[in-house]
mmCIF file of all heavy atoms in Angstrom:
data_model
loop_
_atom_site.group_PDB
_atom_site.id
_atom_site.type_symbol
_atom_site.label_atom_id
_atom_site.label_comp_id
_atom_site.label_asym_id
_atom_site.label_seq_id
_atom_site.Cartn_x
_atom_site.Cartn_y
_atom_site.Cartn_z
ATOM 1 N N THR A 6 71.535 -0.194 -35.189
ATOM 2 C CA THR A 6 71.220 -1.538 -34.577
ATOM 3 C C THR A 6 69.700 -1.824 -34.478
ATOM 4 O O THR A 6 68.949 -0.867 -34.172
ATOM 5 C CB THR A 6 71.695 -1.521 -33.082
ATOM 6 O OG1 THR A 6 73.089 -1.004 -33.060
ATOM 7 C CG2 THR A 6 71.678 -2.849 -32.384
ATOM 8 N N ILE A 29 74.318 2.372 -22.288
ATOM 9 C CA ILE A 29 75.698 1.763 -22.575
ATOM 10 C C ILE A 29 76.455 2.433 -23.571
ATOM 11 O O ILE A 29 77.530 2.785 -23.475
ATOM 12 C CB ILE A 29 75.346 0.276 -22.956
ATOM 13 C CG1 ILE A 29 74.800 -0.580 -22.032
ATOM 14 C CG2 ILE A 29 76.727 -0.245 -23.570
ATOM 15 C CD1 ILE A 29 74.359 -1.940 -22.343
ATOM 16 N N ALA A 71 82.231 0.880 -28.011
ATOM 17 C CA ALA A 71 80.896 1.141 -27.434
ATOM 18 C C ALA A 71 80.016 0.100 -28.061
ATOM 19 O O ALA A 71 79.124 -0.580 -27.414
ATOM 20 C CB ALA A 71 80.416 2.555 -27.665
ATOM 21 N N VAL A 72 79.993 -0.185 -29.408
ATOM 22 C CA VAL A 72 79.137 -1.039 -30.058
ATOM 23 C C VAL A 72 79.350 -2.468 -29.632
ATOM 24 O O VAL A 72 78.507 -3.213 -29.592
ATOM 25 C CB VAL A 72 79.165 -0.835 -31.581
ATOM 26 C CG1 VAL A 72 78.225 -1.584 -32.344
ATOM 27 C CG2 VAL A 72 78.919 0.693 -31.876
ATOM 28 N N ILE A 73 80.700 -2.753 -29.484
ATOM 29 C CA ILE A 73 81.029 -4.043 -29.189
ATOM 30 C C ILE A 73 80.349 -4.413 -27.782
ATOM 31 O O ILE A 73 79.797 -5.410 -27.659
ATOM 32 C CB ILE A 73 82.616 -4.284 -29.069
ATOM 33 C CG1 ILE A 73 83.093 -4.209 -30.457
ATOM 34 C CG2 ILE A 73 82.955 -5.574 -28.436
ATOM 35 C CD1 ILE A 73 84.625 -4.109 -30.582
ATOM 36 N N GLU A 74 80.462 -3.500 -26.890
ATOM 37 C CA GLU A 74 79.913 -3.653 -25.615
ATOM 38 C C GLU A 74 78.260 -3.789 -25.679
ATOM 39 O O GLU A 74 77.688 -4.749 -25.087
ATOM 40 C CB GLU A 74 80.268 -2.422 -24.608
ATOM 41 C CG GLU A 74 79.514 -2.453 -23.319
ATOM 42 C CD GLU A 74 79.923 -3.572 -22.546
ATOM 43 O OE1 GLU A 74 80.967 -4.379 -22.668
ATOM 44 O OE2 GLU A 74 79.170 -4.090 -21.567
ATOM 45 N N LEU A 75 77.801 -2.984 -26.468
ATOM 46 C CA LEU A 75 76.298 -3.129 -26.634
ATOM 47 C C LEU A 75 75.969 -4.479 -27.184
ATOM 48 O O LEU A 75 75.057 -5.162 -26.745
ATOM 49 C CB LEU A 75 75.867 -2.028 -27.716
ATOM 50 C CG LEU A 75 74.424 -2.104 -28.234
ATOM 51 C CD1 LEU A 75 73.511 -1.695 -27.004
ATOM 52 C CD2 LEU A 75 74.247 -1.218 -29.361
ATOM 53 N N GLU A 76 76.779 -4.990 -28.114
ATOM 54 C CA GLU A 76 76.355 -6.160 -28.764
ATOM 55 C C GLU A 76 76.534 -7.320 -27.633
ATOM 56 O O GLU A 76 75.788 -8.324 -27.670
ATOM 57 C CB GLU A 76 77.240 -6.629 -29.912
ATOM 58 C CG GLU A 76 76.766 -5.940 -31.296
ATOM 59 C CD GLU A 76 77.647 -6.329 -32.361
ATOM 60 O OE1 GLU A 76 78.766 -6.639 -32.172
ATOM 61 O OE2 GLU A 76 77.141 -6.140 -33.569
ATOM 62 N N ARG A 77 77.614 -7.196 -27.011
ATOM 63 C CA ARG A 77 77.760 -8.343 -25.805
ATOM 64 C C ARG A 77 76.640 -8.273 -24.942
ATOM 65 O O ARG A 77 76.177 -9.368 -24.626
ATOM 66 C CB ARG A 77 79.126 -7.836 -25.015
ATOM 67 C CG ARG A 77 79.570 -9.021 -24.175
ATOM 68 C CD ARG A 77 80.827 -8.519 -23.240
ATOM 69 N NE ARG A 77 80.450 -7.459 -22.388
ATOM 70 C CZ ARG A 77 79.951 -7.824 -21.263
ATOM 71 N NH1 ARG A 77 79.692 -9.022 -20.833
ATOM 72 N NH2 ARG A 77 79.543 -6.898 -20.467
ATOM 73 N N VAL A 78 76.156 -7.119 -24.482
ATOM 74 C CA VAL A 78 75.084 -7.103 -23.537
ATOM 75 C C VAL A 78 73.820 -7.632 -24.289
ATOM 76 O O VAL A 78 73.010 -8.447 -23.627
ATOM 77 C CB VAL A 78 74.743 -5.554 -23.056
ATOM 78 C CG1 VAL A 78 73.522 -5.581 -22.299
ATOM 79 C CG2 VAL A 78 75.915 -5.222 -22.174
ATOM 80 N N MET A 79 73.588 -7.321 -25.355
ATOM 81 C CA MET A 79 72.473 -7.688 -26.106
ATOM 82 C C MET A 79 72.437 -9.280 -26.190
ATOM 83 O O MET A 79 71.410 -10.052 -26.102
ATOM 84 C CB MET A 79 72.283 -7.162 -27.516
ATOM 85 C CG MET A 79 71.626 -5.823 -27.485
ATOM 86 S SD MET A 79 70.800 -5.368 -28.951
ATOM 87 C CE MET A 79 72.164 -4.649 -29.918
ATOM 88 N N ARG A 80 73.568 -9.843 -26.506
ATOM 89 C CA ARG A 80 73.744 -11.269 -26.548
ATOM 90 C C ARG A 80 73.328 -11.904 -25.283
ATOM 91 O O ARG A 80 72.740 -13.037 -25.254
ATOM 92 C CB ARG A 80 75.080 -11.695 -27.029
ATOM 93 C CG ARG A 80 75.061 -12.842 -28.067
ATOM 94 C CD ARG A 80 76.540 -12.967 -28.582
ATOM 95 N NE ARG A 80 76.852 -12.099 -29.749
ATOM 96 C CZ ARG A 80 77.925 -11.333 -29.676
ATOM 97 N NH1 ARG A 80 78.675 -11.419 -28.567
ATOM 98 N NH2 ARG A 80 78.256 -10.528 -30.681
ATOM 99 N N LEU A 81 73.767 -11.354 -24.157
ATOM 100 C CA LEU A 81 73.467 -11.776 -22.857
ATOM 101 C C LEU A 81 72.028 -11.864 -22.406
ATOM 102 O O LEU A 81 71.430 -12.560 -21.868
ATOM 103 C CB LEU A 81 74.323 -11.310 -21.796
ATOM 104 C CG LEU A 81 75.895 -11.441 -21.876
ATOM 105 C CD1 LEU A 81 76.586 -10.515 -20.878
ATOM 106 C CD2 LEU A 81 76.057 -13.001 -21.752
ATOM 107 N N ASN A 82 71.347 -10.807 -22.800
ATOM 108 C CA ASN A 82 70.037 -10.473 -22.480
ATOM 109 C C ASN A 82 68.991 -11.504 -22.984
ATOM 110 O O ASN A 82 69.016 -11.705 -24.383
ATOM 111 C CB ASN A 82 69.675 -9.213 -22.875
ATOM 112 C CG ASN A 82 68.441 -8.551 -22.310
ATOM 113 O OD1 ASN A 82 67.532 -9.441 -22.002
ATOM 114 N ND2 ASN A 82 68.310 -7.341 -21.868
ATOM 115 N N SER A 88 69.369 -9.666 -32.910
ATOM 116 C CA SER A 88 69.834 -8.293 -33.119
ATOM 117 C C SER A 88 70.760 -8.222 -34.349
ATOM 118 O O SER A 88 71.456 -9.189 -34.621
ATOM 119 C CB SER A 88 70.587 -7.758 -31.863
ATOM 120 O OG SER A 88 71.798 -8.324 -31.840
ATOM 121 N N LEU A 89 70.817 -7.050 -34.879
ATOM 122 C CA LEU A 89 71.585 -6.898 -36.094
ATOM 123 C C LEU A 89 72.239 -5.555 -36.047
ATOM 124 O O LEU A 89 71.502 -4.596 -35.884
ATOM 125 C CB LEU A 89 70.883 -7.121 -37.421
ATOM 126 C CG LEU A 89 71.652 -6.805 -38.732
ATOM 127 C CD1 LEU A 89 72.438 -8.228 -39.050
ATOM 128 C CD2 LEU A 89 70.623 -6.719 -39.905
ATOM 129 N N THR A 90 73.641 -5.422 -36.092
ATOM 130 C CA THR A 90 74.140 -4.204 -36.047
ATOM 131 C C THR A 90 74.980 -3.831 -37.309
ATOM 132 O O THR A 90 75.693 -4.655 -37.759
ATOM 133 C CB THR A 90 75.257 -4.056 -34.828
ATOM 134 O OG1 THR A 90 74.571 -4.530 -33.609
ATOM 135 C CG2 THR A 90 75.670 -2.658 -34.585
ATOM 136 N N ILE A 91 74.734 -2.738 -38.057
ATOM 137 C CA ILE A 91 75.363 -2.534 -39.360
ATOM 138 C C ILE A 91 75.966 -1.145 -39.178
ATOM 139 O O ILE A 91 75.384 -0.215 -38.715
ATOM 140 C CB ILE A 91 74.257 -2.598 -40.422
ATOM 141 C CG1 ILE A 91 73.821 -3.994 -40.670
ATOM 142 C CG2 ILE A 91 74.955 -2.241 -41.795
ATOM 143 C CD1 ILE A 91 72.827 -4.198 -41.723
#
Side-chain angles (χ1 to χ4, degrees):
Chain A
T6 311
I29 292 172
V72 179
I73 291 170
E74 175 59 20
L75 173 71
E76 277 181 339
R77 190 184 68 84
V78 168
M79 275 206 274
R80 217 173 280 128
L81 290 176
N82 192 325
S88 73
L89 179 72
T90 311
I91 292 182

